[in-house]
Amino acid sequence: MQRFLLSLFLLSTVSFAVTSVQTDWSGGGGVPGPVTDWGSSYYSSSWISSTGGSLQLMPSMLATPIEHVVDGNYDGAHSVYAADVDGDGDMDVLGVAYNANEVTWWENTNGSGTSWIEHTVDSTFSGAQSVYATDVDGDGDTDVLGAARVADDITWWENTDGSGTSWTEHTVDGSFDGANTVYAADVDGDGDTDVLGAADIQNDITWWENTDGTGTSWTEHTVDGNFSSANSVYATDVDGDGDMDVLGAATSADDIAWWENTDGSGTSWTEHTVDGNFNGAIGVYATDMNGDGYTDVLGVAFEADDITWWENTDGSGTSWTEHTVDGSFNGAYSVYATDVDGDGDTDALGTAFYANDITWWENTDGAGTSWTEHTVDGDFDMSHSVYATDVNGDGCVDVLGAAWGPAEIAWWNLTGYSAAGTLESSILDAGTVEYWDIFACNHMEPAGTSLCYQFRSSQDSSSMGAWSDTVFTSISLAGVLADSTDFLQYRVILQTTDPQNTPVLSDLMFSYTTYVSVADNNEGEIVFWGLVPSANPSFGNLAVQVSTPQPGMVDLVLHDAAGRVVARYSQNLPGGTHAVTFNNLSQGVYFCTMHSGDFSATERIVVLK
């Protein structure tokens, strides 16, 4: 990107001060050059990403996850979940405490998961065992559901004002003996949210029909009333017929089973055993584990110390192939699955009560037949519950856990910024350079980070030579780059010692003096290619002067600082100097780029109100 200012006439050439700027790298790599305008592309990069038009280090999986405690004094922490409770766009955390009889959500105050405000939903929910969140009444906000084992209670709390600060309790079933787990789904396919529960004393898997769709009237439907020590319930379409089926884990029966929603309305059920000898079956989950498009089943067995998944071999849920994820996970207690490492396949997560462990297993081959264990926390005492979602809004999956021993609700950041990254620009053809003037940069370096640069110039673009010494800030290029070398390339090096912080490069600029041919407009006036702001800063409107030595198409594109196109001017113009104005702009920094024939130039202009 170039800026031209007239300084001296030399017969048919003019000496100009020029600036070449790069402010956006979103076009990606692979353009070696030479190019006359860097645009938004570059040559190559390693462990660097372009986010919002700026350069920063790329996230990578951490060898040691970073723990963030949400609540370290939550007596009998038993279950954890996450949802946007207050509707502000970030992820909040929910939990229940068995000993404290509490249902709670913690507001993610800054959106990054490092500052939390506790909000009590219910402090008298005796033996609070399980928590879930969804929109129960169909009003567009997030409500909370809970199961209380001592109170024998399945309940939901209405998020009265949508902000999570006022709750109205609605009992779904107050005599569900040994209520252990709660879940919600549209079981009957009528478009509203129904509730499911598992009761280990009552040996019952049940769903309650949301009769009027508002959660104030419920009709009970038993799925299985003889499922010995029913401990866990889940719902999804297992057989691929388009309706909602139900899954359960029975601890005394050592059973993982699913019930086919025979008529699609939830009033007729056919039981299918997935595994009838899964010793101490305590939890169940379902998703596509091997990427074949069918719904598979995961289970956790407390007595067998086992995390297992069963392959839905033909997609109908009538034939299952067992695959062990971990057969020695001491006191295996809960299971979940999602794509933890972002490689496109489904990984498994679990907690182990006796091993005090919260772990995820990498689906190494994507088919679920080869697993690599990654310990999230090996000292999470009496681990009970695991869940995974993006807590800090960085686009990567984080892990949440509830542990009875330390009375703790916590989350772990599994990814951090890579320690170092580099980017090399395309080679710029700067024209006929007389000498190099200044390098300037606009970057941020948070604590523990650094950002530095190297340059090289040459008369032969195929042999650019050695890089300069490393520089860390804006400098004079005199003595750094040789005069009369027309091709330029830069390298950016980003580093961090803190995986939570990255340096950020917003833009950089090179100024130099070059020769440009000019033309006579037959009136004794010399006219040259050029783009010059009428005022900088400008107030409200932005006016520029464009100069062309002959008639031709002139294309002006106006970008804001984020790289978004906010205005465009395209016109066939006669040779000469012309004024162009962009009106009614917001205050900010803009980049005006001119293209005409082989000429390209960019001006950085500040607009004030």
Side-chain angles (χ1 to χ4, degrees), residues 506-576:
S506 298
D507 55 67
L508 50 74
M509 179 272 290
F510 293 85
S511 69
Y512 46 94
T513 299
T514 186
Y515 297 111
V516 175
S517 296
V518 299
D520 194 310
N521 68 354
N522 297 320
E523 297 179 0
E525 177 186 354
I526 293 181
V527 180
F528 51 90
W529 300 100
L531 171 66
V532 179
S534 297
N536 196 2
S538 182
F539 292 87
N541 300 326
L542 188 154
V544 295
Q545 288 187 339
V546 296
S547 299
T548 61
Q550 70 265 332
M553 174 64 72
V554 173
D555 189 27
L556 295 176
V557 181
L558 191 66
H559 294 82
D560 63 15
R564 294 182 293 263
V565 176
V566 297
R568 188 164 196 155
Y569 171 90
S570 295
Q571 190 72 40
N572 268 305
L573 296 177

Side-chain angles (χ1 to χ4, degrees), residues 6 131 161 226 309 320 438 476 535 543 555:
L6 183 64
V131 67
D161 60 1
N226 191 33
W309 76 279
W320 300 94
I438 293 172
S476 168
D555 189 27

Side-chain angles (χ1 to χ4, degrees), residues 436 456-465 482 484-488:
W436 301 96
R456 57 185 179 182
S457 64
S458 174
Q459 274 300 96
D460 181 359
S461 63
S462 65
S463 179
M464 290 298 293
S484 301
T485 50
D486 300 340
F487 297 99
L488 170 69

Side-chain angles (χ1 to χ4, degrees), residues 222-291:
T222 299
V223 178
D224 193 324
N226 191 33
F227 199 51
S228 185
S229 296
N231 197 81
S232 178
V233 66
Y234 190 72
T236 191
D237 183 6
V238 176
D239 53 7
D241 65 352
D243 55 37
M244 195 66 62
D245 306 305
V246 173
L247 302 99
T251 307
S252 296
D254 303 327
D255 202 0
I256 298 288
W258 75 279
W259 293 267
E260 180 184 353
N261 192 347
T262 313
D263 60 1
S265 66
T267 57
S268 175
W269 299 94
T270 301
E271 182 176 3
H272 301 271
T273 298
V274 178
D275 192 326
N277 191 32
F278 196 51
N279 191 12
I282 196 171
V284 68
Y285 188 72
T287 190
D288 182 5
M289 293 299 295
N290 57 355

Side-chain angles (χ1 to χ4, degrees), residues 57-71:
L57 289 166
M58 185 179 294
S60 62
M61 299 299 292
L62 296 171
T64 303
I66 300 172
E67 182 181 6
H68 303 270
V69 176
V70 178
D71 193 322

